[in-house]
Amino acid sequence: MSSSTTPWPSPTLPLHAPYVIDPKSHRPTKLILTTWNTLAFSYCTPSSHPGADPQFLKDDYREEKIKNVLRRLKSDDLPTIYCLQEVDKYDEVYSKTFAEMNYEISYSLRSTGVINSTSKSPSKADPSTRDRVLIAFPQDRYTLLKRLHLNLDNLGLKYKKFLRNNIATAVALKDVETSKIFVICCVHLYWNPRFEDVKLLQSKYIVSRLKEFSSSFDSYGNMVETIITGDFNSMPTDGNGGVYDFFVGGEADAVRVRERCYDYFYDKVDECSDSLNSMIISSSPRYILDFTLNRLCRWLRLLGFDAALETEEEERGRCERRGCPIFERCRRERRGLVTTSSRLIGRKECPPAAFLIGTSGGSSTVEKSLINLMKFHNVILRPTTFLTICVKCGGKIVEITSSNEIKKAHEMKLAPESAKPLFKCDKESCGQFYWWNERESSSAGRAKSMCAGLFQRCVKEGVRYEEDLGLFKGLELDPPPKSPSVDSRKIPATDVATDPPVDTWLNSTSLINDCGKFLSAYNPGTDVNFTNLTRDFRGCLDYIFVQDDGRVRVESVLPLPLTLEETRGVLPTGEWPSDHLPLSACLSFEDGEHAHGDPEHPGGGGHKADMSCCRPKGLPSLFEMAEMRKEWLKKQKKKEAEEKEKEKG
Ligand SMILES: [Zn+2]
């Protein structure tokens, strides 16, 4: 790791410090890896960055500065790979700048956290506010072999807690000069310091997917190097079992981490989580829908659910951030929240088992949302309760038995004489009359066929239902699927087989990093004291982690300012356009299969005088492979013989 770092000169901030490259290092594969959270334009406001001079938060100013920094971070001597987070204004700022540098870009857009169509078609809503994580590399030096998009919301299929709208992106690159293959992953984990468990599981999910991804490029004599970098929103944890330890130590204690988060999540925020959860996952849940979901709300009512709609006043309340009436109502009335707002669901007071759905309109989306909601909460449809709830207000429809009341309804022309029996919504404020009419064009007929259609499509997609079809006897339906087991504490997922094993991970005493141990290119406390600096926070959140397999060496790192004075306390400044600093490391790699303790590399890094140890090696010829196999078999036989000998003895 780097031994000497000179602080950034202030006020002219950094980056004219050249990368120091050890002239004695003859390793054939070298590169500069740079990570930087550039601070999204949509997050950069005077209120989000108190203490910073507002003129330096303006888009025009920052656009130019960011372009400038990107150009200056590029090394003249070595290929420089960029991993950036919080990238918005992609076309105006990034795409152009990298095109000028002759770079290729691979990125992942932040999803909106849509449960029902996560990987296939992330919602197109609010494209301007969706930032991305991005990897850019010189296209004349690297060939892009494959990309991987990682939607960390996949962890949230079972627990709402993990729905944080975070993403990571990875590429497999081949160095055209040395044929070395790299898997580079750019991550941006959840920000909230009190949700360590979320970040740890996000990390676990990333490495488990990366392991699978990189193993497809692993072939004999051509080891794949994995580099994971970005904004981990985690401080060095000093053996505390958190995200940093997970990478540097190769494992973490999920149970301990969860214990640290437990109070916060279950007791303080979700006082009633148990009862609310079990209410919501009972087979006839009660819902409250945000005010945009009028149509879905009516459909739920048609299907006999107790569904409430957020009022305009309640909506205004939450937008003006005076408490959150809809949350209070969830708790008071024991209702599960259904919303299109990922922002709402991300608020820390949000009650459990809330359900987020896609925002783009159209009845097919609403229908998909309905089906996913039913499956997600493991609902059992009860045809005998269909058409028993007032679609206007959610009240119960009851038969009117008082002849006086029937007479009154006829007199006031609220119901025709032929309407027998006559029904009415039991809510006094509503009082809507209902009666049956088998004619298809009548409102009752239309409601019935609407209901039948929804019922059929739900069943086709695997929603369970009770056998007594009541009014809907004779309707063609697929057979009911077998009922999955229900754990009262958890919301059952619809497709457990394809979900990450969140429960297992959360309960493992030792959560192993699938990609092994990593080196942190910067030594916390020595090379870096902080990478993020605002009025309220100063700490190290960004890292470059390189797989610690004995083949990689950190030759040098870009010096960072180490003391507060050097940055005048708060970022962004007139010199620096983000609240994060960039990390940049010069890495060199051995080719082939050497490891620490290799006799050819005494001292774990020296080379033979003729460099025979580190000359680029291609795949061994078939003949060589046959020889190797013979050798291996011989050794194996000898070993077995020895063991047998031991047993006898
Ligand atoms: Zn009503």
Side-chain angles (χ1 to χ4, degrees):
M1 242 145 290
S2 72
S3 49
S4 67
T5 45
T6 43
W8 272 347
S10 190
T12 12
L13 269 166
L15 314 178
H16 16 84
Y19 296 100
V20 189
I21 297 153
D22 179 3
K24 278 178 231 139
S25 171
H26 297 293
R27 297 173 155 210
T29 307
K30 287 197 208 77
L31 59 86
I32 306 286
L33 201 288
T34 291
T35 180
W36 185 29
N37 179 331
T38 58
L39 176 57
F41 289 92
S42 58
Y43 305 150
C44 188
T45 61
S47 60
S48 66
H49 288 78
D53 187 335
Q55 62 167 318
F56 300 134
L57 305 179
K58 287 191 179 136
D59 285 8
D60 294 353
Y61 159 78
R62 293 187 60 237
E63 277 179 33
E64 284 316 305
K65 279 282 171 187
I66 288 172
K67 285 182 195 167
N68 190 20
V69 170
L70 292 177
R71 287 184 210 116
R72 286 163 70 191
L73 279 166
K74 183 171 174 286
S75 159
D76 293 333
D77 309 313
L78 290 173
T80 307
I81 298 174
Y82 295 79
C83 295
L84 306 180
Q85 305 87 44
E86 283 195 25
V87 169
D88 60 356
K89 289 211 172 207
Y90 173 75
D91 293 325
E92 298 98 306
V93 181
Y94 299 90
S95 159
K96 256 190 212 159
T97 310
F98 282 121
E100 282 163 18
M101 289 159 64
N102 198 22
Y103 267 54
E104 192 171 337
I105 297 174
S106 176
Y107 65 76
S108 289
L109 258 180
R110 213 192 260 270
S111 77
T112 49
V114 185
I115 292 177
N116 49 6
S117 55
T118 32
S119 50
K120 283 170 208 153
S121 56
S123 164
K124 297 239 161 39
D126 300 309
S128 58
T129 60
R130 291 165 63 196
D131 57 279
R132 49 195 100 195
V133 289
L134 166 163
I135 300 174
F137 53 91
Q139 52 181 339
D140 52 3
R141 180 63 187 253
Y142 298 103
T143 311
L144 178 62
L145 301 177
K146 212 172 174 184
R147 302 164 201 254
L148 177 69
H149 167 68
L150 291 158
N151 183 353
L152 309 187
D153 275 356
N154 285 344
L155 290 163
L157 289 167
K158 201 161 184 181
Y159 299 105
K160 186 221 112 207
K161 185 175 188 182
F162 294 101
L163 279 181
R164 298 297 171 185
N165 196 12
N166 294 111
I167 44 167
T169 198
V171 291
L173 297 180
K174 186 169 184 176
D175 186 327
V176 296
E177 285 185 17
T178 65
S179 295
K180 188 113 194 126
I181 295 173
F182 297 93
V183 166
I184 295 168
C185 181
C186 176
V187 313
H188 191 187
L189 303 187
Y190 184 49
W191 66 273
N192 194 327
R194 285 172 289 194
F195 285 77
E196 232 187 313
D197 52 347
V198 171
K199 287 177 253 209
L200 182 59
L201 255 63
Q202 289 183 333
S203 304
K204 174 69 181 173
Y205 181 65
I206 289 168
V207 293
S208 70
R209 295 288 308 276
L210 278 183
K211 174 76 185 171
E212 193 187 294
F213 181 67
S214 63
S215 66
S216 60
F217 307 102
D218 234 328
S219 58
Y220 191 82
N222 197 359
M223 309 291 256
V224 177
E225 308 291 348
T226 303
I227 302 168
I228 306 178
T229 183
D231 181 353
F232 292 77
N233 271 312
S234 305
M235 307 267 275
T237 39
D238 295 330
N240 225 351
V243 167
Y244 184 82
D245 290 335
F246 180 67
F247 284 98
V248 172
E251 65 179 285
D253 187 336
V255 175
R256 253 170 80 202
V257 169
R258 180 150 96 150
E259 273 165 9
R260 285 204 290 272
C261 305
Y262 190 83
D263 283 351
Y264 175 74
F265 184 66
Y266 289 102
D267 300 341
K268 238 161 120 192
V269 176
D270 301 317
E271 304 99 333
C272 53
S273 70
D274 275 342
S275 53
L276 195 50
N277 256 337
S278 58
M279 177 69 68
I280 290 157
I281 64 164
S282 71
S283 53
S284 46
R286 296 150 57 91
Y287 290 113
I288 183 162
L289 294 88
D290 81 38
F291 81 109
T292 63
L293 293 169
N294 194 358
R295 178 165 14 186
L296 182 58
C297 184
R298 294 171 80 96
W299 287 5
L300 283 167
R301 286 169 180 169
L302 275 178
L303 292 171
F305 290 97
D306 182 350
L309 192 67
E310 180 186 33
T311 64
E312 251 177 68
E313 205 191 336
E314 285 168 333
E315 193 265 337
R316 236 177 292 130
R318 76 170 146 98
C319 291
E320 290 163 14
R321 292 226 158 204
R322 293 179 275 111
C324 192
I326 197 171
F327 289 168
E328 285 155 27
R329 214 166 139 199
C330 284
R331 297 201 155 87
R332 197 174 58 237
E333 299 179 9
R334 295 273 185 268
R335 293 180 186 276
L337 173 67
V338 182
T339 180
T340 54
S341 165
S342 53
R343 191 171 287 187
L344 190 62
I345 239 171
R347 281 167 75 166
K348 66 178 195 298
E349 331 86 89
C350 180
F355 187 81
L356 186 67
I357 62 174
T359 45
S360 48
S363 53
S364 72
T365 313
V366 181
E367 193 176 294
K368 242 188 244 161
S369 302
L370 172 76
I371 290 165
N372 281 302
L373 180 67
M374 302 284 96
K375 286 164 76 174
F376 190 71
H377 285 151
N378 208 14
V379 163
I380 299 170
L381 292 171
R382 297 198 163 81
T384 49
T385 65
F386 291 178
L387 304 170
T388 61
I389 300 288
C390 174
V391 286
K392 272 177 80 182
C393 77
K396 269 208 179 89
I397 298 173
V398 291
E399 191 176 345
I400 307 176
T401 45
S402 143
S403 53
N404 263 353
E405 208 177 334
I406 294 171
K407 209 172 141 194
K408 216 169 132 193
H410 290 158
E411 276 168 14
M412 292 176 73
K413 304 239 181 276
L414 292 169
E417 304 262 349
S418 60
K420 274 176 204 166
L422 189 61
F423 299 86
K424 192 185 172 186
C425 170
D426 72 346
K427 261 197 196 161
E428 240 170 89
S429 56
C430 174
Q432 173 75 33
F433 287 97
Y434 291 92
W435 59 90
W436 292 119
N437 188 334
E438 290 294 332
R439 230 178 347 107
E440 271 186 34
S441 58
S442 70
S443 48
R446 273 180 298 158
K448 191 182 168 187
S449 67
M450 178 92 216
C451 198
L454 289 173
F455 182 32
Q456 278 175 314
R457 288 189 290 274
C458 282
V459 170
K460 193 175 168 198
E461 296 296 327
V463 179
R464 296 178 301 150
Y465 63 94
E466 279 183 350
E467 299 284 321
D468 185 357
L469 297 187
L471 262 182
F472 296 87
K473 211 179 266 171
L475 195 68
E476 264 182 50
L477 292 168
D478 294 344
K482 279 179 199 159
S483 60
S485 60
V486 177
D487 181 330
S488 69
R489 175 110 208 169
K490 297 142 200 162
I491 308 149
T494 50
D495 189 3
V496 180
T498 60
D499 296 343
V502 173
D503 287 315
T504 315
W505 289 351
L506 275 175
N507 289 307
S508 321
T509 45
S510 182
L511 201 60
I512 303 291
N513 189 318
D514 305 57
C515 296
K517 282 187 188 181
F518 285 77
L519 281 173
S520 174
Y522 282 76
N523 262 327
T526 320
D527 305 326
V528 59
N529 276 339
F530 57 91
T531 63
N532 178 227
L533 184 72
T534 61
R535 193 188 64 183
D536 307 316
F537 181 82
R538 175 180 184 252
C540 184
L541 302 178
D542 307 77
Y543 303 92
I544 297 171
F545 290 127
V546 266
Q547 209 168 9
D548 189 7
D549 51 13
R551 297 190 300 268
V552 61
R553 191 159 63 202
V554 180
E555 300 279 345
S556 63
V557 293
L558 182 75
L560 296 180
L562 291 167
T563 63
L564 207 55
E565 295 72 49
E566 291 170 61
T567 59
R568 298 187 194 152
V570 160
L571 292 174
T573 64
E575 290 83 45
W576 192 251
S578 170
D579 55 355
H580 283 255
L581 301 171
L583 305 184
S584 205
C586 174
L587 308 171
S588 69
F589 301 88
E590 282 175 18
D591 288 354
E593 59 280 18
H594 301 311
H596 274 310
D598 187 327
E600 298 211 318
H601 288 77
H607 302 272
K608 282 187 171 178
D610 63 355
M611 290 301 293
S612 61
C613 53
C614 280
R615 251 182 242 136
K617 284 172 192 153
L619 281 167
S621 68
L622 283 177
F623 174 75
E624 282 171 323
M625 275 162 83
E627 285 300 308
M628 283 177 203
R629 183 159 171 77
K630 263 191 220 159
E631 275 304 306
W632 182 80
L633 280 174
K634 245 193 232 165
K635 273 187 196 163
Q636 208 58 20
K637 266 192 184 159
K638 203 175 154 197
K639 225 184 186 178
E640 274 168 29
E642 278 171 8
E643 263 161 33
K644 265 189 191 163
E645 208 53 39
K646 261 187 202 165
E647 271 171 36
K648 274 185 198 164

